[in-house]
Amino acid sequence: SDIMQRRVQIGEIGIGWDRLRPVMVLDDVIIRSKNDDRDAFHFEHLQLSFQMFRSLRQLELVPHSIFLSGSELAVTRALDGSMVLRGLSGLEPTRSVTVGERLENLRNLALTLRDVRIVWHDQPLQQNWEFNTDQLKLMFWNGGLSIEGRLQLPPELGHNVDVTSVIRGNLADYRLWNGSFYLRSDAIKMDALPALLTREWPVIQSGSVATETWGRWRGLDWLELSGQM
């Protein structure tokens, strides 16, 4: 509960070791909302590893990484610059938790998502998509995060995409983010590209394209792309 900054209900607990790191394996995990007035997140499996030497020095458990699997998350990119994260799995929360606050709570942690379904609501683009994560690794630090992994795209967008990205800036407001990224996919639907890019794009009828793309951006005003299709 101290690590998550929320009250946690656990169905089953297991303890083990990963080399020199103690590992706690939790099944059927329910994480309460920050105000403790509802169930916010539900994960079939959650694994925590800890930094042993820092934990001994500070006389408290210091987490190293968190592994999550078997759940659904809804992410909303709002018009006001905030990112809102909701836990699903049939819990139907009535209130939301802002991603920026949660990312700040998870700084200096590694978070791995495997077999997690992500429902993405994009208010600026007025689009909704569903993604599945084969495996997605997130690393948080003060003032930024990195992303590495593979997403299964919805059929209307294409097939799988490998992504690597480094983001810097205020995590509570994506309009202030700066960063770089690398994308590779064997098939992205051509007619989906205008919806994904907030720039003028040539008229495209149909088809798909394999792409390897490098890019950088600064806020919402500057985007640079290079690569091959």
Side-chain angles (χ1 to χ4, degrees):
S1 295
D2 291 340
I3 295 170
M4 296 293 179
Q5 301 287 313
R6 293 166 176 84
R7 189 161 66 89
V8 178
Q9 300 173 11
I10 301 168
E12 187 174 340
I13 300 177
I15 303 295
W17 287 86
D18 179 10
R19 298 182 180 177
L20 294 178
R21 292 194 179 97
V23 175
M24 183 180 297
V25 180
L26 313 175
D27 292 325
D28 193 17
V29 180
I30 295 176
I31 302 175
R32 297 283 291 174
S33 67
K34 199 162 189 177
N35 295 328
D36 198 21
D37 56 358
R38 62 179 176 84
D39 294 338
F41 302 96
H42 181 204
F43 296 98
E44 295 176 5
H45 180 83
L46 187 151
Q47 179 175 304
L48 294 167
S49 67
F50 300 93
Q51 302 181 46
M52 186 175 66
F53 297 110
R54 285 188 60 189
S55 297
L56 292 173
R57 186 168 60 249
Q58 297 178 204
L59 299 179
E60 62 179 4
L61 292 175
V62 178
H64 172 263
S65 64
I66 300 177
F67 173 92
L68 303 171
S69 67
S71 184
E72 297 179 350
L73 298 176
V75 181
T76 300
R77 188 169 77 111
L79 292 170
D80 63 1
S82 65
M83 302 280 283
V84 180
L85 175 66
R86 296 180 176 89
L88 300 178
S89 295
L91 297 176
E92 298 181 356
T94 58
R95 299 178 63 187
S96 62
V97 180
T98 62
V99 168
E101 292 175 358
R102 185 160 178 78
L103 294 187
E104 290 300 318
N105 291 337
L106 293 178
R107 61 184 179 272
N108 301 322
L109 280 181
L111 175 63
T112 301
L113 304 177
R114 181 179 294 170
D115 298 327
V116 173
R117 179 170 167 262
I118 299 174
V119 182
W120 183 277
H121 305 288
D122 200 300
Q123 292 182 358
L125 296 181
Q126 298 182 342
Q127 296 280 343
N128 297 320
W129 292 293
E130 295 182 5
F131 304 90
N132 289 305
T133 62
D134 285 350
Q135 180 161 299
L136 192 67
K137 296 181 179 180
L138 309 173
M139 179 70 75
F140 305 94
W141 64 85
N142 290 328
L145 77 150
S146 62
I147 303 171
E148 181 179 2
R150 167 170 287 196
L151 293 172
Q152 300 174 26
L153 296 179
E156 62 269 24
L157 296 185
H159 295 164
N160 296 335
V161 58
D162 296 314
V163 57
T164 301
S165 181
V166 176
I167 298 172
R168 300 178 179 86
N170 183 353
L171 296 178
D173 190 343
Y174 65 81
R175 297 172 298 184
L176 304 177
W177 290 359
N178 304 320
S180 58
F181 64 89
Y182 165 79
L183 297 175
R184 184 178 67 83
S185 177
D186 294 332
I188 291 182
K189 294 291 183 66
M190 295 291 287
D191 51 359
L193 290 176
L196 296 175
L197 297 174
T198 56
R199 299 287 191 276
E200 293 184 3
W201 194 261
V203 176
I204 300 172
Q205 297 297 326
S206 62
S208 61
V209 62
T211 181
E212 188 173 26
T213 303
W214 291 261
R216 297 183 297 165
W217 81 94
R218 185 167 55 245
L220 300 180
D221 301 323
W222 184 78
L223 173 67
E224 179 184 78
L225 296 173
S226 64
Q228 57 188 5
M229 291 184 176

